[in-house]
Amino acid sequence: MFLCDFHTHTYFSFDGDRKASPDAMCRSAIEKGITDLALTDHFEANSNAEGNISPYDAKAAHDEILLAKDKYKDRLNLVYGIELGQGYQYPDEVNKLFKDYKFDFVIGSLHNLRYAPDFCYLDFSEMPYKYAQHLFSRYIDEINETVDAFDCIDTVGHLTYMQRYTALAGINFDFRPYYDRLAAFFDKIIFRDIALEVNVSTLRKGLGFSMPDADILRLYRDRGGKLITVGSDAHSPADLGSCIADGFRLLESIGFDRVMVVKNREKVLCKI
Ligand SMILES: [Zn+2]
Ligand SMILES: [Zn+2]
């Protein structure tokens, strides 16, 4: 059975497990029968500019990942990637990074709105529902900015990221009022050949849905979306590949039979 994992973090991410060397991640992938693996460490453009987390060591990450790519080339398609967070907030930081490093695969992510903390720090249990709706409305504006700011984005990371934290707070956030705006967003990314990620970290955490969830994936399908990447968002070798097969079954149940990987910098659709 085909398996890939296109969203993973090594110890070059500020929140990566100390055991998560590129080499250890490759070994874990091979043990689990994964043939295509993207290492997509965080580059949080805002934090990089503001200096509030340890900066991404682009050179060390590049050198170690390329070493592993060569070492395992007969057993694993290792993809040198990056998870670009909030790039639109500090485009100069991003352009500086991309001038020196040619990534094979770029995830465009949004972890915090402008002038707001990461959604993971928000306590939705104490928040009026209307304010959560206001945040999600802003999220749609800024996820549009995320893909508009650069040409290099290959996939949109964990759309509806906020749902991980509303669900953990016991809030059943209703996305249906936003379907028209999400449909317009899908029309844009489909036109631009940008994929949509199915992030299964929420399945691993036992929340019972992917990001985005099945209904929003149906909306993407109905707009004609075909390019899907799947990622565990593992931050350790142990979590690598976790729930990917569940993500594939979910996709099949919605009518998708292929997922996108990158080989030699080309987008390739693989049958699941
Ligand atoms: Zn992320
Ligand atoms: Zn991530």
Side-chain angles (χ1 to χ4, degrees):
M1 186 180 112
F2 169 73
L3 281 176
C4 62
D5 193 340
F6 259 58
H7 187 150
T8 66
H9 296 270
T10 74
Y11 55 28
F12 289 110
S13 290
F14 70 96
D15 54 355
D17 189 289
R18 292 167 67 94
K19 293 192 285 292
S21 65
D23 194 89
M25 296 298 267
C26 289
R27 279 185 276 117
S28 173
I30 292 165
E31 270 167 30
K32 292 171 182 176
I34 289 167
T35 52
D36 298 80
L37 169 69
L39 299 177
T40 55
D41 284 306
H42 285 292
F43 181 80
E44 297 285 285
N46 56 323
S47 302
N48 210 63
E50 294 157 9
N52 51 12
I53 54 169
S54 54
Y56 171 64
D57 188 342
K59 168 133 186 34
H62 169 272
D63 292 354
E64 264 195 56
I65 291 171
L66 263 65
L67 213 60
K69 190 178 167 91
D70 187 56
K71 180 173 168 186
Y72 296 105
K73 65 177 184 289
D74 297 332
R75 284 179 285 170
L76 184 66
N77 169 33
L78 182 65
V79 175
Y80 169 49
I82 193 86
E83 181 179 9
L84 179 58
Q86 302 79 244
Y88 65 97
Q89 294 181 17
Y90 287 93
D92 291 351
E93 292 290 323
V94 179
N95 292 330
K96 212 159 53 188
L97 175 74
F98 283 22
K99 192 162 98 30
D100 294 331
Y101 298 95
K102 305 290 173 223
F103 296 97
D104 298 330
F105 178 65
V106 179
I107 301 175
S109 288
L110 176 51
H111 302 115
N112 64 274
L113 302 170
R114 274 198 186 84
Y115 316 118
D118 190 309
F119 284 104
C120 72
Y121 297 118
L122 300 180
D123 183 357
F124 286 93
S125 65
E126 296 293 324
M127 187 185 290
Y129 188 78
K130 274 228 167 284
Y131 193 73
Q133 288 186 310
H134 164 73
L135 291 180
F136 191 68
S137 181
R138 282 182 58 196
Y139 175 87
I140 297 177
D141 290 339
E142 295 189 33
I143 198 72
N144 273 282
E145 288 190 67
T146 300
V147 298
D148 289 345
F150 306 98
D151 287 332
C152 60
I153 289 172
D154 295 301
T155 193
V156 178
H158 48 56
L159 186 73
T160 68
Y161 175 64
M162 191 178 109
Q163 194 181 11
R164 188 193 277 172
Y165 303 103
T166 52
L168 285 169
I171 310 294
N172 187 13
F173 191 84
D174 183 4
F175 290 98
R176 286 173 300 182
Y178 307 94
Y179 277 16
D180 285 353
R181 291 174 67 200
L182 289 172
F185 176 69
F186 289 151
D187 291 348
K188 170 163 47 189
I189 63 171
I190 291 165
F191 180 74
R192 287 182 48 196
D193 256 349
I194 298 171
L196 178 68
E197 176 186 274
V198 176
N199 187 299
V200 295
S201 63
T202 34
L203 296 179
R204 180 175 79 245
K205 291 173 198 285
L207 292 173
F209 58 85
S210 55
M211 293 183 293
D213 67 16
D215 287 340
I216 295 175
L217 289 170
R218 281 187 198 97
L219 178 65
Y220 175 69
R221 176 202 64 193
D222 293 345
R223 303 308 291 190
K226 292 193 170 34
L227 294 182
I228 291 201
T229 60
V230 182
S232 67
D233 216 341
H235 286 63
S236 67
D239 284 344
L240 192 147
S242 176
C243 295
I244 294 287
D246 300 312
F248 284 2
R249 298 294 80 79
L250 172 75
L251 284 167
E252 277 182 327
S253 75
I254 297 170
F256 294 103
D257 64 352
R258 275 157 223 274
V259 295
M260 189 190 106
V261 299
V262 172
K263 289 183 201 277
N264 302 318
R265 298 210 166 157
E266 296 286 327
K267 294 174 178 165
V268 178
L269 292 179
C270 296
K271 180 123 184 45
I272 54 177

